[in-house]
């Protein structure tokens, strides 16, 4: 499901960055229109679980209030469950009562662009968050029984070995938090790759990188680093341009990627009690 188009933020790696789309305005669907689609899909196909993939569904306080007021009127949480993307800095300002209302309205999991455990790299990404805020928001969500899917980028331009280690610690801290609360935290980790039109693309090409080389996407084979067939889920997103953009060699980036992916896979196969 898509509840809106456009994004007011300017994360430097993202194709939806506002500076990469200056001619696009933000458009938000009317709540009644969204609910009509939920009901139509249920009536025609029996669907009871939905995923909102736009950036703004849980990314603007006003929009959250409008949507949840409508969801409450239509008793959506009694009939459906749903996942959505969210903004950490926005959810940091949401009250406990508002989180309770999200749960009652059927929210099951929020996908968050956590990206890094290094505040220095988060600033370079223009994420407008820090690691402490991300941990605080994740803790509050899982305490309310809301799952978290965190996205992380390894090998961002300028990333040092200390920055990489901070991200690994951050992910494991988040797993430890999840082990003590009802909600779960899943880490989805990827190697950095540049996209045309993004702020970081402009920075890289201005620094002398060949645009053709930045577009030479290729598959990443993590087999030698311990990945196996059982871990294959989102392999279509495991691609790279084969360029080292930070201070950590690509083999080390990929070894770390495989290790974190393997640990997440093991968590997926077990229970929280097993992980703890």
């Amino acid at each position: 499901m898509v509840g809106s188009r456009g994004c007011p933020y300017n994360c430097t790696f993202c194709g939806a960055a506002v500076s990469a789309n200056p001619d696009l305005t933000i458009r938000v669907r009317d709540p009644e229109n969204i609910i009509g689609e939920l009901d139509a899909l249920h009536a025609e196909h029996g669907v009871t679980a939905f995923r909102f993939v736009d950036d703004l569904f849980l990314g603007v306080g006003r929009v959250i209030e409008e949507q949840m007021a409508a969801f409450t009127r239509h008793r959506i949480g009694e009939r459906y469950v749903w996942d959505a993307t969210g903004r950490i800095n926005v959810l940091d300002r949401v009250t406990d009562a508002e989180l309770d209302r999200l749960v009652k309205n059927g929210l099951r999991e929020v996908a968050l662009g956590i990206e890094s455990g290094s505040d220095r790299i988060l600033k370079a990404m223009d994420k407008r968050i820090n690691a402490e805020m991300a941990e605080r928001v994740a803790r509050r969500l899982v305490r309310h029984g809301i799952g978290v899917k965190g996205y992380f980028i390894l090998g961002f331009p300028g990333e040092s070995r200390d920055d990489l280690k901070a991200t690994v610690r951050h992910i494991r801290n988040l797993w430890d938090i999840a082990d003590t609360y009802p909600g779960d935290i899943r880490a989805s980790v990827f190697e950095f790759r540049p996209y045309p039109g993004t702020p970081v693309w402009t920075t890289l090409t201005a620094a002398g990188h060949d645009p053709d080389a930045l577009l030479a996407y290729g598959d990443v084979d993590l087999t030698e680093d311990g990945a196996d067939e059982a871990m294959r889920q989102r392999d279509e997103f495991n691609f790279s341009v084969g360029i080292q953009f930070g201070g950590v060699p690509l083999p080390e980036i990929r070894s770390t990627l495989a290790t974190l992916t393997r640990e997440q896979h093991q968590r997926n196969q077990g229970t929280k009690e097993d992980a703890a």
Side-chain angles (χ1 to χ4, degrees):
M1 295 278 294
V2 175
S4 65
R5 295 285 191 184
C7 180
Y9 295 97
N10 204 44
C11 300
T12 60
F13 56 85
C14 183
V18 65
S19 66
N21 303 277
D23 56 334
L24 296 181
T25 58
I26 296 172
R27 296 88 73 203
V28 180
R29 290 173 62 185
D30 183 270
E32 297 293 333
N33 181 269
I34 291 175
I35 292 168
E37 184 175 355
L38 296 176
D39 289 339
L41 289 169
H42 174 67
E44 185 171 354
H45 303 288
V47 180
T48 59
F50 302 87
R51 172 167 295 167
F52 291 92
V53 297
D54 47 300
D55 295 307
L56 289 183
F57 199 78
L58 296 178
V60 174
R62 173 185 58 80
V63 174
I64 295 173
E65 173 59 33
E66 291 176 355
Q67 302 291 1
M68 290 308 101
F71 275 37
T72 299
R73 288 196 304 272
H74 289 270
R75 302 170 72 173
I76 292 300
E78 298 177 22
R79 299 184 285 137
Y80 309 132
V81 294
W82 49 277
D83 308 339
T85 52
R87 285 287 311 191
I88 291 170
N89 56 329
V90 173
L91 291 173
D92 192 42
R93 299 190 294 270
V94 170
T95 67
D96 284 342
E98 289 170 319
L99 289 178
D100 285 335
R101 182 169 67 164
L102 286 167
V103 173
K104 290 178 181 178
N105 279 324
L107 176 60
R108 179 176 56 181
E109 183 180 72
V110 179
L112 300 175
I114 302 174
E115 314 306 357
S116 177
S118 164
D119 289 346
R120 188 180 73 85
I121 294 300
L122 289 170
K123 185 175 181 180
M125 293 175 170
D126 197 12
K127 284 295 299 180
R128 306 188 189 184
I129 64 171
N130 56 44
E132 181 182 4
M133 182 189 295
E135 187 171 303
R136 181 169 63 242
V137 168
R139 184 186 298 273
R140 292 185 64 219
L141 289 170
V142 297
R143 190 173 66 224
H144 284 263
I146 301 169
V148 171
K149 183 175 185 180
Y151 293 106
F152 297 88
I153 297 173
L154 307 185
F156 193 78
E159 184 181 63
S160 68
R161 186 169 280 110
D162 285 343
D163 296 321
L164 178 62
K165 290 179 179 178
T167 297
V168 174
R169 286 195 304 271
H170 194 39
I171 291 172
R172 290 175 176 158
N173 285 343
L174 291 170
W175 283 335
D176 288 343
I177 289 170
D179 289 338
T180 63
Y181 291 108
D184 198 11
I185 296 178
R186 299 187 293 144
S188 191
V189 188
F190 303 102
E191 180 183 324
F192 169 76
R193 59 266 179 162
Y195 296 125
T198 60
V200 74
W201 175 278
T202 301
T203 300
L204 291 172
T205 54
H209 282 278
D210 179 7
D212 290 336
L214 296 180
L215 284 172
Y217 302 136
D219 294 335
V220 177
D221 185 356
L222 300 176
T223 305
E224 293 184 0
D225 293 303
D228 59 57
E229 286 297 317
M231 294 163 54
R232 293 177 65 90
Q233 291 184 15
R234 292 168 60 84
D235 276 12
E236 69 271 25
F237 294 102
N238 278 333
F239 58 90
S240 168
V241 296
I243 299 173
Q244 179 181 330
F245 293 102
V248 184
L250 284 181
E252 186 173 342
I253 291 290
R254 292 174 181 175
S255 176
T256 305
L257 174 59
T259 296
L260 293 169
T261 302
R262 183 170 58 253
E263 291 180 16
Q264 180 61 69
H265 176 70
Q266 291 169 347
R267 290 178 62 85
N268 293 347
Q269 303 310 302
T271 64
K272 288 197 174 187
E273 289 75 15
D274 293 334

